[in-house]
């Protein structure tokens, strides 16, 4: 499938939910922070719900909340919830067997791409939503200091 912005949107939404803690947020509130469309946000939140990362309540006062503690949700959890298929796109069709590059490139790329994807998964698995939330707060505190 290749790269998309779904993971960034998902991480943004999860970090917002961590920031507001016990207070549920509407998809509109999250969309405002993203400068995005609430329908897109609802789709992403639906995938996060299916993965057990968020839950929602309907009706007046309803909205979205984290289903797990922010320290228990990694960026890789968010990625897995919203992305499908491999990170790096493979050949859309089989290369020519008549060419020495064509005969061999798919197997060679598969090794390289799998190693790269595992490295990304490992790196994203080290960072939690709680960590991002703390970084946001630290940056905001720094910006608020008198100069």
């Amino acid at each position: 499938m290749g790269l998309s912005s779904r993971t960034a949107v998902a991480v943004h939404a999860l970090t917002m939910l961590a920031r507001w803690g016990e207070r549920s947020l509407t998809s509109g509130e999250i969309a405002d922070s993203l400068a995005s469309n609430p329908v897109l946000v609802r789709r992403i939140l639906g995938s996060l719900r299916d993965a057990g990362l968020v839950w929602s309540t309907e009706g007046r006062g309803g909205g979205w909340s984290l289903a797990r503690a922010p320290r228990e949700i990694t960026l890789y959890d968010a990625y897995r919830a919203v992305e499908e298929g491999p990170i790096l796109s493979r050949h859309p069709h089989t290369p020519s067997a008549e060419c020495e590059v064509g005969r061999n490139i798919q197997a060679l790329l598969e090794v390289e791409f799998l190693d790269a994807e595992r490295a990304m998964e490992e790196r994203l698995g080290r960072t939690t939503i709680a960590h991002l939330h703390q970084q946001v707060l630290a940056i905001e505190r720094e910006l608020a200091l008198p100069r």
Side-chain angles (χ1 to χ4, degrees):
M1 170 155 262
L3 302 172
S4 77
S5 62
R6 288 185 297 268
T7 300
V9 171
V11 169
H12 185 129
L14 290 167
T15 305
M16 272 198 74
L17 293 172
R19 166 65 183 92
W20 295 105
E22 298 296 315
R23 179 177 169 249
S24 293
L25 297 177
T26 67
S27 56
E29 289 171 316
I30 296 169
D32 285 346
S33 177
L34 283 156
S36 185
N37 185 313
V39 172
L40 166 73
V41 172
R42 277 192 292 278
R43 280 191 209 125
I44 297 290
L45 289 167
S47 294
L48 294 172
R49 180 188 53 224
D50 294 346
L53 302 177
V54 300
W55 59 278
S56 64
T57 55
E58 293 184 18
R60 188 176 176 100
W64 296 87
S65 301
L66 293 178
R68 300 188 335 214
R71 71 181 177 282
E72 296 172 359
I73 302 172
T74 68
L75 301 189
Y76 184 63
D77 294 330
Y79 165 79
R80 264 195 346 226
V82 299
E83 300 291 350
E84 296 177 4
I87 298 161
L88 299 169
S89 296
R90 287 10 184 214
H91 276 295
H93 50 81
T94 305
S96 172
E98 302 301 315
C99 169
E100 66 237 7
V101 173
R103 275 191 303 275
N104 296 292
I105 197 68
Q106 281 187 289
L108 296 171
L109 283 179
E110 190 62 23
V111 170
E112 296 300 320
F113 285 5
L114 284 174
D115 283 350
E117 288 166 349
R118 276 193 288 271
M120 188 199 87
E121 291 168 9
E122 188 277 327
R123 178 62 186 92
L124 292 178
R126 286 187 290 176
T127 304
T128 67
I129 296 299
H131 182 235
L132 291 184
H133 175 224
Q134 291 306 312
Q135 286 181 305
V136 166
L137 294 178
I139 291 167
E140 287 297 310
R141 279 192 300 271
E142 179 68 26
L143 292 174
L145 290 176
R147 306 261 181 227

